[in-house]
């Protein structure tokens, strides 16, 4: 169990009690509403809870608020005097939280309210430790209501690939030996056809190359242009150009 710790009140702010009483002190009567501390938990936000402390006795009463988690809560006022028949509002602020509590439904934080009649004395930092009257106590438990879990922010190596959450792709059924044989026959037929077409292209290319060589040899024998010779040379040039284009196409 964590030790209860109080938020200190400077001695320079000692609050005097204006009413003096003589004789035996009556028992202090303090009413607290509500009887627990509740927060609607949200990340990165200040949360507030208000307690109403009522003095139902006939004497000036002093109170002091302690908590098991002083770094998480801020209490105002954390100590003061309540006159007979009056009420003081105590505001408890929960500081913004960067991390979500491990167990939202079972918070272990607690508050303790100490109170006593002043018996004509002033409220000082030593009132509850060295005063002549022994303080009485009320314990309040902390609850988180309406808590909605917030997913943590992932950074760096913790980033998860969006494909990790994608539904698995459909898996094809395993092929049977019969299906595999059929696929093999189809592939073999395609390969044979491609080989035959390639061989035909090579034969055609060789034929065109032979014709082109023959035309070149015939062109060398022509020394001068004769009547109608221009017509023969033109045919030779056209045939040579055609053979060249076809050779490049079937390469």
């Amino acid at each position: 169990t964590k030790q209860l710790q109080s938020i200190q009140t400077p001695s320079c702010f000692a609050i005097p009690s204006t009413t003096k009483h003589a004789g035996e002190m009556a028992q202090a009567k303090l009413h607290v509403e509500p009887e627990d501390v509740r927060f609607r938990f949200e990340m990165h936000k200040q949360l507030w809870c208000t307690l109403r402390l009522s003095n139902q006795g006939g004497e000036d009463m002093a109170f002091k608020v302690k908590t098991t988690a002083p770094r998480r809560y801020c209490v105002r006022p954390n100590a003061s005097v309540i006159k007979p028949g009056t009420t003081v509002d105590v505001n408890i602020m929960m500081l913004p939280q960067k991390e979500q509590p491990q167990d939202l439904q079972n918070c272990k934080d607690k508050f303790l309210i100490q109170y006593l009649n002043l018996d004509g004395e002033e409220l000082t930092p030593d009132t509850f430790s060295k005063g002549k009257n022994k303080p009485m106590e009320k314990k309040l438990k902390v609850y988180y209501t309406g808590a909605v879990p917030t997913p943590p922010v992932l950074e760096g190596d913790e980033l998860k690939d969006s494909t990790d959450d994608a539904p698995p792709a459909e898996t094809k059924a395993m092929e049977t030996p019969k299906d595999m044989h059929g696929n093999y026959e189809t592939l073999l037929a395609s390969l044979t056809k491609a080989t035959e077409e390639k061989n035909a292209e090579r034969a055609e290319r060789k034929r065109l190359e032979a014709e082109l060589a023959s035309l070149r040899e015939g062109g060398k024998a022509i020394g001068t242009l004769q009547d109608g010779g221009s017509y023969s040379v033109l045919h030779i040039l056209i045939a040579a150009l055609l053979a060249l284009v076809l050779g490049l196409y079937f390469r």
Side-chain angles (χ1 to χ4, degrees), residues 52-226:
R52 297 182 65 85
L53 277 57
S54 301
N55 183 355
Q56 297 182 341
E59 309 289 343
D60 286 353
M61 178 192 301
F63 73 88
K64 187 175 186 178
V65 182
K66 296 182 178 182
T67 179
T68 57
R71 295 183 179 181
R72 188 174 300 162
Y73 304 100
C74 180
V75 182
R76 292 292 182 272
N78 69 302
S80 187
V81 175
I82 310 175
K83 294 189 174 297
T86 63
T87 300
V88 171
D89 288 344
V90 176
N91 296 310
I92 302 176
M93 181 186 71
M94 182 178 181
L95 300 177
Q97 300 298 300
K98 296 181 180 180
E99 296 181 357
Q100 183 173 287
Q102 295 182 354
D103 190 354
L104 291 171
Q105 307 301 326
N106 187 26
C107 180
K108 296 181 180 180
D109 296 346
K110 296 180 177 64
F111 282 86
L112 175 69
I113 301 178
Q114 293 181 315
Y115 61 99
L116 51 75
N117 286 337
L118 285 172
D119 192 20
E121 296 181 349
E122 295 182 349
L123 174 61
T124 68
D126 297 330
T127 297
F128 292 90
S129 59
K130 299 179 181 180
K132 63 180 180 180
N133 295 324
K134 183 178 180 180
M136 303 179 69
E137 298 178 345
K138 284 185 179 292
K139 296 181 180 180
L140 286 73
K141 184 174 174 56
V142 177
Y143 294 94
Y144 296 137
T145 61
V148 179
T150 303
V153 179
L154 301 180
E155 298 179 356
D157 295 337
E158 295 180 353
L159 286 174
K160 187 177 181 181
D161 192 345
S162 60
T163 57
D164 292 345
D165 294 330
E170 294 184 1
T171 305
K172 294 183 178 180
M174 182 177 295
E175 293 183 345
T176 63
K178 182 178 180 181
D179 296 332
M180 295 177 65
H181 179 72
N183 293 337
Y184 172 76
E185 292 292 341
T186 302
L187 181 61
L188 183 60
S190 299
L191 182 59
T192 303
K193 183 179 180 181
T195 302
E196 292 175 352
E197 292 177 353
K198 187 67 174 180
N199 292 336
E201 290 176 0
R202 289 179 179 177
E204 182 67 16
R205 180 180 175 184
K206 289 182 179 180
R207 186 183 67 81
L208 292 173
E209 288 177 351
E211 291 182 359
L212 180 59
S214 176
L215 291 172
R216 286 176 180 174
E217 290 295 331
K220 292 179 180 179
I222 301 176
T224 58
L225 295 175
Q226 300 177 355

Side-chain angles (χ1 to χ4, degrees), residues 234-248:
L234 178 62
H235 277 75
I236 293 173
L237 293 176
I238 293 174
L241 181 61
L242 180 61
L244 179 62
V245 171
L246 291 175
L248 294 175

